Amino acid sequence: MSRVEEYYGVNVLPPIAWALDLYLKKFPKLKKSGAIEVTFTAESHRERLSAKGQHEIVVWFTNKELFARGRCTFEKECKFNTERVSARDREGLKELDWSKLNNRQLFKALTKLLMKLDLDFVTLIRALNTVSDHKVKIPHTTKWDRTFEKFDDYRKNRWPEDVDTSDRARFIEEVLVRVCFWFMSAAAVGDLKT
């Protein structure tokens, strides 16, 4: 498996986008409207050994769609800049340079984005579970020969005791981590449905 298949952004953004599609079928009108954006710092744009600007990956939700793009704050012609990519497009997301991101901050920021949308908590979690079951061949056997009948079995495996529904942000963050690793694990053994 290539390194790009292991990037967290490549493995967590498509399931979020697909889950939002499912969610919006049940609740077509969102409580909050407008664009919500999160920015992830990748690395400095350097010229002649000095930092001139910043490379960022921007993820935003607008008009019921989730998008991502690479952006250089210093130069328009920088190769880090990309066109916007639909978060549903896993192959398109692989074109972004996720290698310099702080992965723990990725999950925290995506959780904040979902919390700002003010979604129904139970429906969102169900949508993430449904997407994880439908987009991965199940039962899924990992490369370590562990078999899971469905995503919920995988999600609850070694679940941290301090995480419960009373802290919804922490709960969603943990689910996103599990979703990411579920898709990464499926990609490693060819169990992802295209």
Side-chain angles (χ1 to χ4, degrees):
M1 182 166 83
S2 66
R3 175 79 178 105
V4 73
E5 290 280 348
E6 296 175 357
Y7 291 146
Y8 292 169
V10 169
N11 289 295
V12 75
L13 285 175
I16 292 173
W18 297 324
L20 288 172
D21 289 344
L22 275 180
Y23 181 94
L24 291 168
K25 283 182 183 174
K26 183 161 178 70
F27 298 107
K29 289 193 176 186
L30 291 171
K31 295 174 192 173
K32 296 198 174 184
S33 60
I36 297 174
E37 177 181 296
V38 290
T39 303
F40 305 101
T41 303
E43 63 183 342
S44 296
H45 177 94
R46 300 184 92 60
E47 286 189 9
R48 297 188 191 133
L49 301 175
S50 62
K52 299 289 187 180
Q54 203 63 45
H55 288 171
E56 303 169 336
I57 292 182
V58 183
V59 176
W60 73 98
F61 181 84
T62 186
N63 297 328
K64 300 183 181 180
E65 295 257 356
L66 193 63
F67 297 100
R69 73 181 286 257
R71 174 172 70 191
C72 176
T73 61
F74 180 71
E75 184 181 350
K76 276 188 174 181
E77 278 69 46
C78 178
K79 65 179 182 173
F80 195 85
N81 286 318
T82 65
E83 295 294 319
R84 75 178 185 181
V85 177
S86 170
R88 291 184 202 94
D89 181 6
R90 191 169 185 274
E91 293 303 313
L93 291 171
K94 289 179 186 178
E95 302 299 317
L96 302 178
D97 185 1
W98 300 92
S99 63
K100 303 287 192 271
L101 261 61
N102 177 340
N103 289 315
R104 201 63 198 159
Q105 290 306 316
L106 178 87
F107 295 113
K108 287 188 180 305
L110 290 175
T111 299
K112 283 183 184 174
L113 184 144
L114 291 173
M115 294 297 287
K116 283 182 182 176
L117 289 174
D118 195 20
L119 305 172
D120 179 73
F121 177 72
V122 173
T123 307
L124 174 64
I125 298 302
R126 284 183 181 158
L128 286 165
N129 279 351
T130 302
V131 162
S132 297
D133 283 342
H134 286 289
K135 297 291 185 176
V136 172
K137 295 175 193 165
I138 50 177
H140 167 55
T141 303
T142 68
K143 64 181 178 181
W144 296 281
D145 283 335
R146 295 227 27 220
T147 300
F148 297 93
E149 294 298 320
K150 55 186 180 172
F151 172 69
D152 208 41
D153 298 337
Y154 180 84
R155 180 176 69 88
K156 291 178 180 175
N157 184 43
R158 297 183 185 167
W159 187 259
E161 289 181 22
D162 65 326
V163 178
D164 62 34
T165 55
S166 63
D167 184 352
R168 291 185 172 186
R170 178 72 180 96
F171 190 90
I172 291 172
E173 181 185 345
E174 192 63 33
V175 170
L176 292 181
V177 170
R178 305 285 170 139
V179 166
C180 179
F181 280 95
W182 174 254
F183 276 79
M184 194 184 307
S185 169
V189 295
D191 274 356
L192 270 186
K193 295 179 184 175
T194 53

